[in-house]
Amino acid sequence: EALACRVAATLTHATSMTVVPGERVEYDIDPEDPPDRQAAHERSHVAGVQALLGSVETEGSALSYRDDTREGCMVDRLETIRSEPGDAVAVVGVDHLERLAAELSE
């Protein structure tokens, strides 16, 4: 809960929107919208979040430690799955994709 409140405070301070923990976020997109509109909206949303988070120093923080641990576990699990017969598909958050791709291609 403390993390949610901190993120909400950071977003509220750094952007023009007010974020309150526990409140549903409304998006300007509907599930019935065409895939290209949904994809464009997601790209825009991700770019905005990455720009915001890129302005916050996280090196050496608990957040950085958590992400490193999580991504290490993801890599270990995906390497195990890849060693088994058949194909595998992983759905991961966009912020984890670059590291996973780099480590799995070594």
Side-chain angles (χ1 to χ4, degrees):
E1 187 171 331
L3 177 61
C5 290
R6 180 65 183 138
V7 169
T10 300
L11 288 171
T12 298
H13 178 72
T15 68
S16 61
M17 64 182 183
T18 300
V19 179
V20 178
E23 279 190 6
R24 184 171 181 202
V25 176
E26 294 293 327
Y27 295 97
D28 296 328
I29 195 88
D30 292 317
E32 296 81 25
D33 286 335
D36 59 335
R37 175 158 159 57
Q38 292 184 38
H41 182 271
E42 182 65 11
R43 281 190 297 274
S44 173
H45 176 73
V46 167
V49 170
Q50 287 177 328
L52 172 67
L53 294 178
S55 68
V56 177
E57 179 58 45
T58 61
E59 190 65 34
S61 70
L63 178 63
S64 175
Y65 176 77
R66 184 208 62 193
D67 283 348
D68 287 345
T69 302
R70 178 183 294 160
E71 289 166 352
C73 290
M74 288 179 194
V75 168
D76 291 346
R77 180 68 180 128
L78 290 170
E79 285 175 336
T80 299
I81 291 170
R82 285 191 344 177
S83 70
E84 299 170 0
D87 296 327
V89 174
V91 178
V92 300
V94 68
D95 291 328
H96 303 287
L97 187 58
E98 187 174 322
R99 178 174 172 194
L100 295 179
E103 290 194 24
L104 291 169
S105 62
E106 291 178 353

